[in-house]
Amino acid sequence: MKFIIGIGGVTNGGKTTLTNRLLKTLPNCCVVHQDDFFKKPDQIEVGEDGFRQWDVIAALDMEAMINTVKGWQENPVKFARSHGVSLSPEAEESDSEEKGIHFLIIEGFLIYNYKPLIDVYDKCFYISIPYEECKKRRRSESC
């Protein structure tokens, strides 16, 4: 049995913290971080303000991301092994997902802005935090 969970939300909103806790809790759990799919800086458009536009879907290689998700869908056991994810003993005995439950968490700030990805989720979560808390976290990250 396979489940795909989407965890979206604002930058610095707690998505990665929640994802890391779920990885420790759920058996046979893999993760795809949207942040791993940013294009190279020279491929990112520069806005009118003179800054690269990192917070738009065009800054991400979404095709590569969906291909990664498809790889997990095709064989979550092989995917987990190739990404160094520990599997439950029952899942280790098999090269398919027939034994045990397998989870994929897709985590990112624009994971609900790409139609092919929307169609894969079994459960979606969106994390929001108050504006002042978000601002405080972003300031402390850049220092």
Side-chain angles (χ1 to χ4, degrees):
M1 192 175 292
K2 299 183 281 191
F3 292 100
I4 299 180
I5 301 167
I7 300 178
V10 298
T11 302
N12 296 103
K15 299 178 304 295
T16 303
T17 299
L18 174 58
T19 297
N20 289 338
R21 289 185 180 160
L22 288 172
L23 279 170
K24 292 177 183 174
T25 305
L26 297 172
N28 310 319
C29 187
C30 296
V31 66
V32 171
H33 297 281
Q34 190 172 43
D35 285 353
D36 293 340
F37 294 91
F38 275 107
K39 295 177 181 175
K40 295 178 182 172
D42 63 347
Q43 295 176 303
I44 307 298
E45 187 177 323
V46 176
E48 292 178 15
D49 58 4
F51 293 100
R52 295 200 188 279
Q53 304 299 299
W54 292 101
D55 58 350
V56 297
I57 199 81
L60 298 151
D61 186 347
M62 295 304 294
E63 188 173 323
M65 187 173 178
I66 197 74
N67 286 336
T68 300
V69 172
K70 285 178 183 176
W72 180 87
Q73 287 176 308
E74 290 170 10
N75 192 329
V77 172
K78 182 178 177 184
F79 185 95
R81 287 179 180 153
S82 70
H83 288 83
V85 174
S86 297
L87 295 169
S88 65
E90 61 187 16
E92 277 292 351
E93 297 170 8
S94 173
D95 276 336
S96 72
E97 69 277 358
E98 293 174 15
K99 294 193 177 197
I101 297 174
H102 297 269
F103 294 94
L104 177 66
I105 298 172
I106 301 174
E107 177 267 320
F109 70 110
L110 291 174
I111 63 168
Y112 303 128
N113 294 62
Y114 188 67
K115 176 76 170 117
L117 207 50
I118 290 171
D119 296 336
V120 304
Y121 301 117
D122 294 299
K123 195 71 176 170
C124 298
F125 297 94
Y126 187 86
I127 299 174
S128 63
I129 59 172
Y131 175 78
E132 288 304 319
E133 178 63 22
C134 185
K135 197 165 124 177
K136 179 179 139 189
R137 289 181 185 187
R138 287 183 184 187
R139 281 188 181 142
S140 67
E141 184 181 87
S142 63
C143 294

